[in-house]
Amino acid sequence: MIDNKPKVLLLGSDGQVGWELQRALGVISEVVNTTLSGQGGLQLDLLDAKAVRETVGQIEPDYIINAAAHTAVDTAETEVDLSRRLNADAPELLGQLAAELGAKVIHYSTDFVFSGTSDKPYREEDAATPLSVYGQTKLEGEQRLLATGADALVLRTSWVYGNYGHNFMLTMMRLFREKGQLSVVDDQIGAPTWSRMIAEATAQIVHQLRMSAEGTAPQLGLYHMTAAGETSWFGFAQSILELMDVSCNVQPTSTENYPTPAKRPAYSVLDNSKLNQAFGLQLPDWHDSLQQCMADRLT
Ligand SMILES: NC(=O)c1ccc[n+]([C@@H]2O[C@H](COP(=O)([O-])OP(=O)(O)OC[C@H]3O[C@@H](n4cnc5c(N)ncnc54)[C@H](OP(=O)(O)O)[C@@H]3O)[C@@H](O)[C@H]2O)c1
């Protein structure tokens, strides 16, 4: 039984990860939800520095958890300024406010900070050389947040999907029902990660930080947090189809045949051992989570 629940200010409560965080954090903390639209929480635009400062001042949270971001990877190529303001300026501001208040910040980043030329899972200390504006601005956000000196935790995750929001799994499910045939790239390799697993692991981290005795809490900083295992977008699509009661002819194709405005890493599997060592956490295999996620959808 936890008394004295920590107060969490959650930004981006209606995003994929934010939506799951509301549920997962609700058990162990007092959560103040904020959304850009004002639906489902306090209205807060992360681009409005004055409003962010005032909200943090009023709430006086123990934790600021930032699940808001500019996540439209292709659109970011032409929305460079907006992408930088949201993905880099905003996390830095949150770090500054948290440092002033003595609060902790938890922020999410991406496998797209890597170029994808590796042939083994990336570790936190590996050089990050992003291929896209999204990857570049997310990398700047990590660095600028950590440089504020706040007690900050940056969790890099990848290929996020779930039953809420916009993501590859929901798009594929719709396309499988609408089309008899589909081509999906098979030369980009990563780890599809269920938003619920990210949220549950985050809640465990908050709980552990709260419960650890003074001076024994795991180190904050940069961590990789993705599902175990790896696959291609084609492999991911095939697995989604196998779990559905529809038929569709899914064929592999190459990135070359499917050009997009933003370049994506060919290989962006992340090594999660640092997270495991510090917090004893390991997210389940991507395929097991996909099964669970889709079963959850049907119940
Ligand atoms: N999606 C992925 O595949 C993926 C992969 C790796 C890492 N990540 C990282 O994981 C985190 C969560 O991603 P996600 O997939 O949950 O993103 P998401 O579903 O796109 O949600 C992003 C949220 O940010 C909000 N937002 C946008 N502009 C805002 C503003 N000016 N002020 C306040 N809120 C604003 C959006 O609100 P509206 O919907 O109202 O615009 C939305 O609720 C992000 O840091 C992302 O970079 C995601």
Side-chain angles (χ1 to χ4, degrees):
M1 181 74 188
I2 309 166
D3 38 16
N4 218 352
K5 284 183 172 183
K7 196 188 274 186
V8 174
L9 176 64
L10 177 59
L11 303 153
S13 298
D14 57 356
Q16 291 192 82
V17 173
W19 190 73
E20 292 287 352
L21 278 168
Q22 291 189 45
R23 293 166 36 143
L25 289 166
V27 183
I28 55 147
S29 59
E30 182 193 329
V31 188
V32 178
N33 293 304
T34 69
T35 65
L36 178 59
S37 65
Q39 293 254 325
L42 286 180
Q43 197 280 330
L44 185 62
D45 182 350
L46 207 38
L47 298 178
D48 184 344
K50 185 166 170 280
V52 173
R53 182 174 281 281
E54 279 171 8
T55 303
V56 170
Q58 277 159 14
I59 308 284
E60 294 189 337
D62 300 295
Y63 289 82
I64 299 172
I65 303 191
N66 181 29
H70 187 289
T71 56
V73 178
D74 289 317
T75 315
E77 293 298 306
T78 46
E79 292 182 347
V80 182
D81 183 55
L82 178 62
S83 187
R84 180 159 285 117
R85 288 172 65 206
L86 207 45
N87 292 343
D89 296 356
E92 181 179 49
L93 173 65
L94 295 176
Q96 288 164 349
L97 296 176
E100 284 169 21
L101 196 66
K104 292 185 173 59
V105 190
I106 300 181
H107 174 73
Y108 299 93
S109 190
T110 171
D111 55 329
F112 281 18
V113 298
F114 293 113
S115 65
T117 51
S118 179
D119 56 3
K120 60 177 195 310
Y122 283 99
R123 296 175 66 91
E124 288 80 355
E125 62 271 23
D126 289 336
T129 47
L131 302 174
S132 62
V133 169
Y134 170 71
Q136 176 61 35
T137 57
K138 290 295 293 183
L139 178 64
E140 289 170 17
E142 297 177 355
Q143 293 169 340
R144 288 170 57 185
L145 166 58
L146 293 171
T148 60
D151 282 344
L153 188 66
V154 176
L155 301 168
R156 283 184 186 148
T157 190
S158 68
W159 295 26
V160 179
Y161 69 93
N163 286 319
Y164 182 88
H166 302 281
N167 58 66
F168 181 85
M169 182 194 83
L170 295 178
T171 303
M172 285 297 123
M173 290 175 77
R174 178 176 53 78
L175 292 177
F176 292 152
R177 289 198 181 96
E178 289 173 5
K179 296 177 184 261
Q181 195 164 319
L182 208 62
S183 296
V184 183
V185 295
D186 73 342
D187 54 0
Q188 291 171 31
I189 307 295
T193 305
W194 186 13
S195 48
R196 181 168 300 172
M197 296 298 119
I198 299 169
E200 287 182 359
T202 304
Q204 292 228 25
I205 288 171
V206 170
H207 181 68
Q208 283 190 33
L209 293 173
R210 190 75 181 166
M211 290 294 128
S212 11
E214 195 86 12
T216 64
Q219 286 244 311
L220 301 181
L222 178 63
Y223 288 87
H224 290 170
M225 191 169 84
T226 60
E230 61 181 59
T231 188
S232 66
W233 291 112
F234 171 69
F236 188 20
Q238 270 191 316
S239 297
I240 295 164
L241 182 62
E242 279 163 16
L243 293 164
M244 290 174 71
D245 196 16
V246 290
S247 64
C248 181
N249 180 9
V250 189
Q251 291 295 325
T253 189
S254 65
T255 302
E256 205 181 352
N257 287 332
Y258 188 75
T260 51
K263 273 183 112 181
R264 286 154 168 83
Y267 178 88
S268 59
V269 180
L270 305 184
D271 182 324
N272 286 245
S273 46
K274 184 179 172 195
L275 183 80
N276 186 243
Q277 277 153 21
F279 293 95
L281 290 171
Q282 190 167 346
L283 269 54
D285 182 83
W286 71 268
H287 195 263
D288 294 343
S289 283
L290 177 66
Q291 275 179 316
Q292 213 187 323
C293 175
M294 290 188 63
D296 190 62
R297 186 175 180 77
L298 299 172
T299 53

